[in-house]
Amino acid sequence: MVQERTLPTFTAASAQITKEVGLRLYEDMVLGRVFEDKCAEMYYRGKMFGFVHLYNGQEAVSTGVIQAMRPGEDYVCSTYRDHVHALSAGVPAKEVMAELFGKATGCSKGRGGSMHMFSAEHRLLGGYAFVAEGIPVAAGAAFQSKYRREVLKDESADQVTACFFGDGAANNGQFFETLNMAALWKLPILFVVENNKWAIGMAHDRATSQPEIYKKASVFNMVGVEVDGMDVLAVRAVAEEAVARARAGEGPTLIEALTYRFRGHSLADPDEMRSQAEKEFWFARDPIKKLANHLVEQNLASAEELKAIDRKITERIAEAVKFAESSPEPDSSELYRFVFAEDE
């Protein structure tokens, strides 16, 4: 078992969330979990093809960050593990599922599949198959917000960009080059490292000379924060502070969320590299169960209310599958469409 880092402490009571916020966070995480479980089922039934990387276990990061922003207005840039980021950003589950089925009704018109979710309407800048590929793209989005506000004097241009990537990306050149530019230009961006301890089959601690990624922010005179990525309230609190700094023109933040994926690297991964003891350690820290317990203990929700949300989400995902199955395949006459930006 790889040595576990001491998780930063967070007192849930200090979050002081309302019932409305608590239920919204819970619903968003359940949506991600149920969607991914259904993806696994559909993949093994031969309904979707290629590599499919699921997000189970990491829901607190997506929900905690994106729900602290303005979904549909702020920008989100993802990785090849992008289904749940898309859902948190507001892309309808039926469009995400249809994309996984390769259908024309998918959010990327059936061209992107699992690793290339995109939605201009929801400000989802895309999923990227290559490690660290999305980092400079996200910086570009943040730059245009700053340019429009400061140069073009567009006061409405106060959008913030959240850039998600894994621990393996923090060893790539794009990470260092982009963080340097973002700090120099004080871009309104959150660099969110989802440190799930494993870069495919390589343990994070074996691949980097400084395992504590958030400390790399100091090189760029940037705020760096580590957070318990299995606690949605802790992630949300850190994200809210980072978003406020970004909107105020105070520049970027590097957030390292310590989290864990409950499944293998992809659905084609037999997941034999990680020890059972390690898995059980993290399974016991399920972020959805943690929030559910908090909501009940703080009298913010009853167990029946949470079960009602579970049922509603299960029905929504079942409808998404029906929608995907009944949707048309992309027409061969449109083979060369959507290669470049164009009007519908």
Side-chain angles (χ1 to χ4, degrees):
M1 180 174 176
V2 177
Q3 181 64 39
E4 300 293 351
R5 272 168 58 179
T6 301
L7 294 168
T9 57
F10 177 79
T11 304
S14 66
Q16 296 182 332
I17 60 170
T18 63
K19 177 174 183 174
E20 179 185 5
V21 170
L23 292 180
R24 174 162 53 85
L25 297 176
Y26 179 80
E27 181 170 330
D28 194 58
M29 286 202 293
V30 171
L31 173 62
R33 178 69 60 84
V34 176
F35 185 94
E36 297 293 69
D37 284 344
K38 182 59 71 172
C39 281
E41 177 189 338
M42 293 296 103
Y43 179 87
Y44 292 127
R45 287 176 57 187
K47 297 291 186 178
M48 55 184 72
F49 306 93
F51 287 104
V52 177
H53 307 80
L54 300 188
Y55 199 77
N56 298 57
Q58 300 182 204
E59 296 89 355
V61 186
S62 179
T63 296
V65 172
I66 297 175
Q67 294 300 319
M69 301 168 69
R70 300 173 185 164
E73 183 177 340
D74 289 328
Y75 295 94
V76 173
C77 194
S78 187
T79 66
Y80 48 70
R81 204 178 300 279
D82 57 354
H83 314 162
V84 177
H85 294 149
L87 295 170
S88 290
V91 183
K94 64 180 184 179
E95 293 183 16
V96 180
M97 188 66 76
E99 186 59 38
L100 284 159
F101 276 55
K103 298 300 184 70
T105 54
C107 58
S108 297
K109 313 295 185 186
R111 270 76 165 174
S114 174
M115 295 189 281
H116 301 287
M117 298 289 169
F118 174 84
S119 176
E121 176 187 354
H122 300 93
R123 301 294 178 95
L124 178 68
L125 299 174
Y128 295 88
F130 287 99
V131 174
E133 184 183 13
I135 299 177
V137 174
F143 178 80
Q144 65 84 29
S145 293
K146 183 180 178 70
Y147 186 87
R148 284 169 47 218
R149 185 173 182 84
E150 297 185 2
V151 179
L152 302 182
K153 306 303 179 183
D154 181 357
E155 294 184 1
S156 67
D158 66 343
Q159 292 82 14
V160 172
T161 299
C163 177
F164 294 91
F165 51 95
D167 46 278
N171 296 321
N172 283 35
Q174 289 131 309
F175 169 84
F176 297 98
E177 294 176 42
T178 306
L179 263 66
N180 183 55
M181 289 188 289
L184 280 172
W185 298 337
K186 290 190 174 181
L187 299 185
I189 186 169
L190 281 60
F191 295 105
V192 185
V193 186
E194 301 191 80
N195 185 353
N196 62 24
K197 294 171 57 68
W198 291 86
I200 307 182
M202 171 60 74
H204 171 63
D205 289 359
R206 294 181 58 200
T208 181
S209 57
Q210 173 48 285
E212 295 174 294
I213 300 171
Y214 75 99
K215 291 184 176 180
K216 296 179 181 181
S218 64
V219 177
F220 307 104
N221 197 27
M222 183 188 301
V223 176
V225 186
E226 68 172 340
V227 65
D228 182 354
M230 306 299 276
D231 186 337
V232 68
L233 299 182
V235 175
R236 180 173 179 268
V238 165
E240 285 182 329
E241 292 181 5
V243 169
R245 281 195 297 271
R247 287 204 210 282
E250 297 173 8
T253 302
L254 175 62
I255 300 172
E256 181 185 5
L258 303 176
T259 185
Y260 199 74
R261 53 175 165 78
F262 288 174
R263 292 179 179 269
H265 173 68
S266 74
L267 287 176
D269 175 15
D271 196 18
E272 297 173 345
M273 300 296 293
R274 305 184 299 174
S275 71
Q276 190 59 36
E278 178 182 290
K279 295 176 189 177
E280 291 175 357
F281 173 86
W282 288 92
F283 289 164
R285 305 188 62 254
D286 189 314
I288 297 177
K289 293 179 180 178
K290 185 179 182 69
L291 178 62
N293 292 337
H294 175 76
L295 294 176
V296 173
E297 290 169 1
Q298 297 299 313
N299 296 315
L300 293 172
S302 66
E304 185 51 46
E305 285 178 300
L306 299 181
K307 290 179 182 178
I309 290 175
D310 296 345
R311 290 192 293 269
K312 179 177 71 173
I313 295 301
T314 298
E315 292 173 2
R316 186 186 305 175
I317 300 307
E319 291 171 0
V321 171
K322 290 181 181 178
F323 174 81
E325 290 181 321
S326 62
S327 291
E329 301 278 349
D331 193 281
S332 59
S333 66
E334 296 189 331
L335 179 63
Y336 296 106
R337 288 197 71 194
F338 310 114
V339 176
F340 300 102
E342 60 181 271
D343 294 332
E344 284 292 330

